[in-house]
Amino acid sequence: MRKKVIAGNWKMNKLPNEAMNFISELAPLVKSAENEVVLCVPYTDLFYSLLHVQDTNIKIGAQNMHYEESGAYTGEISGEMLKSIGVEYVIIGHSERRAYFGETDETVNKKLKKALSLGLKPIVCIGESLEQRESGEAKDIVTMQTKLALEGLESDAVEKTIIAYEPIWAIGTGKTATKEDANETIKWIREEIEKIYGKKVSDSVIILYGGSVKSSNAKDLFEMSDIDGGLVGGASLDAQELAKIINYK
Ligand code: 13P
């Protein structure tokens, strides 16, 4: 049985005092949640958030990391740095990083290997553009992204990797993939993992859906056979709304 994971991705939003107020509001609302509750916050909120989630069931993640341990990479943050302050999760390869900051399948693969070697829990994002969906290329794109992200990993590392299927056309647009399309695409991803690593591994990998998830569609999406929860952008900025998504049942 795969555990459900519901992760908020705040993107470039919220100052430390806002992050702490948010956590104070969210914590009592989700304290009985059976699923894993994760907040992926900006770097500047990490330490404040980590202190503030003590004695709650909320886990903290970063939104990116560098694959090198240290060195002349001005403005970057390493996995070791995240680990040193107690960060548990890290998003890798979000489509906004691929589109605006030169993230490639190759850097995603390097970051994933590094995160896993440090014991960070990676959430690797993949997903097709609208053009690719409309021209019937979605399956090729997501299976290729899956394969390249996981290249060179051992089975036990793959089992620890969380994948987020986020169709680019559904991010921040209010357009959600239908639950059937999202589930079918996630099955394609699972089949690709099965081809390389076998059924035991593909059955155990947690795969999330992301793209305009809100309280009104969370239940429909998360009850599908292959969707193991969500990576939530806009709707994760409001504690009441995020709590409804987390308590979707
Ligand atoms: P929205 O939920 O705002 O569409 O964003 C999804 C996303 O990019 C989460 O990583």
Side-chain angles (χ1 to χ4, degrees):
M1 216 7 216
R2 295 184 298 266
K3 188 171 185 175
K4 292 268 195 257
V5 175
I6 296 170
N9 173 10
W10 283 355
K11 308 191 179 182
M12 197 172 74
N13 291 289
K14 293 198 190 289
L15 302 175
N17 63 324
E18 295 169 319
M20 291 188 287
N21 288 339
F22 182 101
I23 290 165
S24 299
E25 192 179 347
L26 183 70
L29 302 173
V30 301
K31 66 177 191 306
S32 316
E34 287 158 27
N35 37 57
E36 186 86 336
V37 179
V38 186
L39 292 177
C40 297
V41 307
Y43 289 135
T44 44
D45 292 343
L46 282 171
F47 196 63
Y48 298 91
S49 302
L50 284 160
L51 291 179
H52 225 66
V53 296
Q54 283 179 25
D55 304 318
T56 76
N57 56 337
I58 302 170
K59 310 289 168 54
I60 297 297
Q63 300 171 9
N64 181 37
M65 58 170 264
H66 199 279
Y67 49 82
E68 294 291 353
E69 177 179 349
S70 59
Y73 301 101
T74 302
E76 289 293 318
I77 299 285
S78 69
E80 282 82 354
M81 290 169 176
L82 298 178
K83 192 72 191 167
S84 72
I85 59 166
V87 172
E88 203 171 324
Y89 285 82
V90 60
I91 297 175
I92 293 175
H94 191 281
S95 61
E96 286 150 15
R97 297 215 58 86
R98 293 180 192 250
Y100 311 139
F101 303 103
E103 191 85 81
T104 64
D105 289 320
E106 194 189 341
T107 57
V108 167
N109 177 252
K110 286 185 177 175
K111 290 180 180 189
L112 176 57
K113 284 179 177 153
K114 184 67 179 188
L116 287 163
S117 76
L118 292 167
L120 287 163
K121 297 176 181 162
I123 303 176
V124 178
C125 301
I126 59 173
E128 82 286 357
S129 66
L130 184 60
E131 206 182 14
Q132 290 162 336
R133 169 67 53 176
E134 287 178 341
S135 63
E137 289 173 277
K139 184 171 185 179
D140 287 347
I141 296 293
V142 299
T143 53
M144 183 55 79
Q145 286 177 337
T146 303
K147 190 173 144 194
L148 294 174
L150 301 179
E151 204 160 77
L153 291 187
E154 301 290 338
S155 299
D156 61 334
V158 176
E159 283 179 333
K160 291 186 191 125
T161 302
I162 299 174
I163 295 177
Y165 165 58
E166 300 207 305
I168 295 166
W169 48 271
I171 295 178
T173 58
K175 275 196 229 161
T176 316
T178 64
K179 57 184 183 177
E180 291 83 9
D181 281 350
N183 201 52
E184 180 184 44
T185 310
I186 289 177
K187 278 188 175 170
W188 295 336
I189 296 166
R190 236 181 258 295
E191 279 162 21
E192 182 65 20
I193 298 172
E194 184 178 344
K195 256 198 252 166
I196 311 168
Y197 295 98
K199 188 155 167 59
K200 183 184 156 282
V201 176
S202 70
D203 276 348
S204 62
V205 175
I206 294 172
I207 309 183
L208 314 180
Y209 167 78
S212 299
V213 173
K214 36 191 181 282
S215 58
S216 57
N217 58 27
K219 183 174 163 70
D220 279 350
L221 287 160
F222 300 166
E223 284 187 347
M224 295 302 282
S225 63
D226 282 72
I227 304 181
D228 303 323
L231 185 56
V232 186
S236 76
L237 295 172
D238 181 282
Q240 299 288 332
E241 172 68 1
L242 182 61
K244 281 190 208 157
I245 295 172
I246 291 164
N247 300 320
Y248 68 91
K249 276 189 184 155

